[in-house]
Amino acid sequence: MTRALITGITGQDGSYLAEYLLSKGYEVHGVIRRASTFNTGRIDHIYTDPHSPGARFFLHYGDLSDAGQLTDLIYNVKPDEIYHLGAQSHVRVSFDTPEFTGDITGIGTTRLLEAIRRSGIRTRYYQASSSELFGASPPPQSETTPFRPRSPYAAAKLYAYWMTVNYREGYNLFACNGILFNHESPRRGETFVTRKVTRALANILTGKQKRLYLGNIDAKRDWGFAPEYVEMMWLMLRQDEPDDYAVGTGESHSVREMVDTAFAYAGIGLEWKGEGAEEKAVVSSLARHPSTCLKPGDTVIEIDPRYFRPTEVNHLRADISKAKERLRWEPRVTFDELTKTMVDYDLRMAGIEAPCEGIEACRSKGFLYTDHTYSLYERIREGE
């Protein structure tokens, strides 16, 4: 039985990857940080008592700041594959906590790579790199595009990227960098803009929230569906030789487009008024979900300059030619389907009947190992 170790297993990607590997018969080990509050909401539904016969899912306390503990863990678990997804991964927050971001996202990767080297095990290693590495480089961006990071997070990821390459070349480690462009899902953290939008939409419809505050709504991103990106991680480690791959959809959309698509799907037409920090969106029409909380003319979105980054990345769009040619991989979920899926689950979580076009699209495209039930478990945890 193949054994995998995942850092960041409680995050969006880690939870989907754990489900995917379990569906393939793996034994999965995850690293979690000790906390006084619950932080396992995304994996509660796949947790099994380690004493149960046939258990294949195990959690271990650890931290990317503790090199000795990482070495012990790798030596004792002896994983065939390691997926390093753990990091301080919020770009805007990295400007507020640059030292912590560098320590965990950058140096934490070195601690893990050095733990692999010191343990002496033969394993395959996946490093979660980021399209934020490209920063100010114009689109489309590929594996050969110059890196021009524009945030402490991106700079830390750049260090981690090159350390992975150096350990591959210096110690003959099977190590791959996945340069993943933005990837979203119903499990996306609520402070990331896509989930912030879809959750606010549901809250506005139920009267729990009046307005949504955003930053740079004209920033363009290449947004894909997280479950198929974790499939790509697995594919990289199936190759005969390690290499680095850019992973995206090949198209980009602005935050404004994402907002318009999400609200329109829920039956709310928007009209944008004003410019710059004074711009806002007002309700122009109401259709699918008649709401006593909204009426035409209501302001539902405003710009808050606090969400602007000191140095902005304006446009990211992937060139995935290499992945298509060598791995025979192409994205299956469109931008519209992704947005609808996220809206469907947040509407359900708010107790609103969802159109379910996104949910049906996921099922029809083969994502049968997950149903994103994390949201439902979160509601149970909160006693709703």
Side-chain angles (χ1 to χ4, degrees):
M1 184 184 299
T2 306
R3 184 178 298 138
L5 176 68
I6 304 172
T7 69
I9 197 168
T10 59
Q12 169 189 255
D13 293 3
S15 64
Y16 283 123
L17 179 60
E19 286 178 314
Y20 185 63
L21 296 181
L22 288 170
S23 76
K24 290 189 167 295
Y26 275 58
E27 178 180 301
V28 176
H29 294 254
V31 183
I32 61 172
R33 288 177 294 168
R34 173 71 179 91
S36 58
T37 56
F38 289 111
N39 61 357
T40 57
R42 294 181 178 92
I43 56 173
D44 281 349
H45 62 292
I46 57 174
Y47 179 78
T48 55
D49 189 324
H51 302 96
S52 301
R56 294 188 291 116
F57 185 65
F58 305 92
L59 298 176
H60 309 267
Y61 287 117
D63 197 287
L64 292 171
S65 65
D66 189 341
Q69 196 277 338
L70 290 174
T71 301
D72 289 345
L73 180 60
I74 289 174
Y75 181 80
N76 290 325
V77 173
K78 294 180 173 58
D80 301 295
E81 298 170 8
I82 296 175
Y83 297 86
H84 179 34
L85 314 182
Q88 189 301 99
S89 59
H90 198 287
V91 177
R92 180 61 188 86
V93 171
S94 76
F95 287 100
D96 300 323
T97 60
E99 183 178 348
F100 174 76
T101 300
D103 183 40
I104 299 303
T105 305
I107 303 298
T109 299
T110 301
R111 294 186 185 108
L112 188 58
L113 288 166
E114 186 64 3
I116 295 170
R117 186 185 73 82
R118 288 175 177 270
S119 69
I121 67 167
R122 300 298 297 176
T123 189
R124 295 192 168 204
Y125 174 86
Y126 171 82
Q127 168 65 29
S129 288
S130 167
S131 60
E132 290 287 332
L133 297 175
F134 298 118
S137 288
Q141 295 100 354
S142 71
E143 298 82 1
T144 58
T145 300
F147 295 139
R148 297 179 63 187
R150 300 268 288 170
S151 67
Y153 166 78
K157 279 292 188 181
L158 181 62
Y159 173 83
Y161 173 93
W162 284 116
M163 289 303 292
T164 300
V165 172
N166 274 268
Y167 271 73
R168 179 171 69 210
E169 296 176 351
Y171 302 110
N172 198 31
L173 175 64
F174 192 107
C176 301
N177 279 294
I179 310 172
L180 272 57
F181 284 67
N182 295 63
H183 45 290
E184 319 298 316
S185 77
R187 294 184 191 169
R188 191 56 146 149
E190 293 155 9
T191 59
F192 289 84
V193 68
T194 50
R195 183 76 196 289
K196 184 177 178 180
V197 168
T198 59
R199 193 172 191 209
L201 168 57
N203 286 339
I204 289 170
L205 283 170
T206 56
K208 294 180 179 179
Q209 184 173 338
K210 294 296 184 182
R211 296 181 182 180
L212 167 64
Y213 295 91
L214 297 172
N216 181 7
I217 58 174
D218 292 315
K220 291 185 176 181
R221 293 292 184 269
D222 184 330
W223 277 307
F225 189 44
E228 60 183 335
Y229 284 40
V230 303
E231 294 176 9
M232 181 63 162
M233 299 174 191
W234 179 79
L235 269 178
M236 290 184 202
L237 299 194
R238 307 272 70 72
Q239 305 310 302
D240 293 333
E241 298 294 332
D243 208 342
D244 308 319
Y245 297 89
V247 184
T249 68
E251 61 180 62
S252 60
H253 300 269
S254 68
V255 175
R256 186 194 304 268
E257 288 178 76
M258 193 272 168
V259 171
D260 284 337
T261 302
F263 275 71
Y265 179 56
I268 304 174
L270 297 178
E271 180 182 356
W272 295 90
K273 298 182 177 182
E275 296 181 354
E278 302 303 316
E279 190 167 13
K280 62 183 179 180
V282 300
V283 176
S284 61
S285 62
L286 290 170
R288 179 174 285 138
H289 290 284
S291 172
T292 58
C293 305
L294 283 178
K295 63 183 184 298
D298 284 349
T299 298
V300 288
I301 299 172
E302 291 188 1
I303 304 301
D304 186 342
R306 290 181 300 174
Y307 296 127
F308 292 152
R309 300 180 188 177
T311 46
E312 182 59 83
V313 174
N314 292 317
H315 195 175
L316 295 174
R317 176 165 57 88
D319 175 352
I320 57 173
S321 302
K322 183 177 176 180
K324 286 182 177 180
E325 178 184 348
R326 298 192 184 180
L327 304 182
R328 300 292 187 264
W329 181 87
E330 289 193 53
R332 311 195 293 280
V333 176
T334 67
F335 169 75
D336 281 352
E337 290 167 342
L338 165 64
T339 304
K340 290 177 179 179
T341 300
M342 296 180 68
V343 173
D344 281 341
Y345 278 96
D346 272 320
L347 290 180
R348 278 186 166 188
M349 189 174 173
I352 301 173
E353 183 180 355
C356 293
E357 293 177 23
I359 292 174
E360 290 305 318
C362 286
R363 290 173 179 167
S364 69
K365 296 189 176 184
F367 298 101
L368 302 178
Y369 60 87
T370 181
D371 60 3
H372 317 292
T373 50
Y374 144 70
S375 295
L376 303 181
Y377 277 82
E378 185 180 72
R379 288 187 65 192
I380 293 170
R381 184 186 297 287
E382 293 176 354
E384 296 185 2

